[in-house]
Amino acid sequence: MVDEFEIRIEDGKRVLDAFHGKESVVIIPEGIKRIGGQAFSDNKLIRSVFIPGSVTNIFSQSWGTGGAFSNCETLSSIILSPGLETIESYDFTNGNSLLNVDIPGSV
């Protein structure tokens, strides 16, 4: 459901700031350009995430505070579509279950 995503507009681009859903499989809506600093951090329910080609950047908060998917202990698979340009260093910290990440050549 779209209501599960907290989205804002910044510089004319849709930014996903938070996910409030209870699903274990998350498909980020097409049209999102950026995933904000801690959009999914500390989520203990998600197991798989699909990021569409419209997303160009996944951001971390500030140095050392974690990133968009930090502390997602049950996240085991993430699919990053072509078009993604930036993944920051803290985006996937402390995610001990992450087994599969498909990184496109555009990164």
Side-chain angles (χ1 to χ4, degrees):
M1 277 189 135
V2 175
D3 293 343
E4 297 169 332
F5 297 98
E6 188 175 312
I7 299 168
R8 67 182 160 89
I9 305 296
E10 180 180 290
D11 299 326
K13 297 178 175 137
R14 296 175 71 207
V15 179
L16 173 59
D17 278 333
F19 174 72
H20 303 293
K22 304 288 184 211
E23 293 81 14
S24 62
V25 176
V26 178
I27 299 172
I28 295 175
E30 186 67 42
I32 299 295
K33 285 293 189 187
R34 300 180 204 152
I35 297 175
Q38 293 182 311
F40 292 88
S41 66
D42 298 314
N43 187 306
K44 307 299 185 217
L45 301 174
I46 60 172
R47 296 188 185 285
S48 179
V49 176
F50 173 77
I51 299 177
S54 62
V55 174
T56 57
N57 304 92
I58 303 175
F59 289 106
S60 295
Q61 275 300 91
S62 58
W63 185 86
T65 61
F69 296 93
S70 62
N71 301 312
C72 291
E73 296 170 359
T74 59
L75 180 62
S76 61
S77 176
I78 187 159
I79 299 171
L80 308 168
S81 296
L84 183 66
E85 298 170 0
T86 306
I87 301 171
E88 294 191 3
S89 57
Y90 293 98
D91 283 334
F92 298 98
T93 57
N94 302 322
N96 297 329
S97 296
L98 195 57
L99 301 172
N100 182 39
V101 179
D102 293 327
I103 300 176
S106 58
V107 174

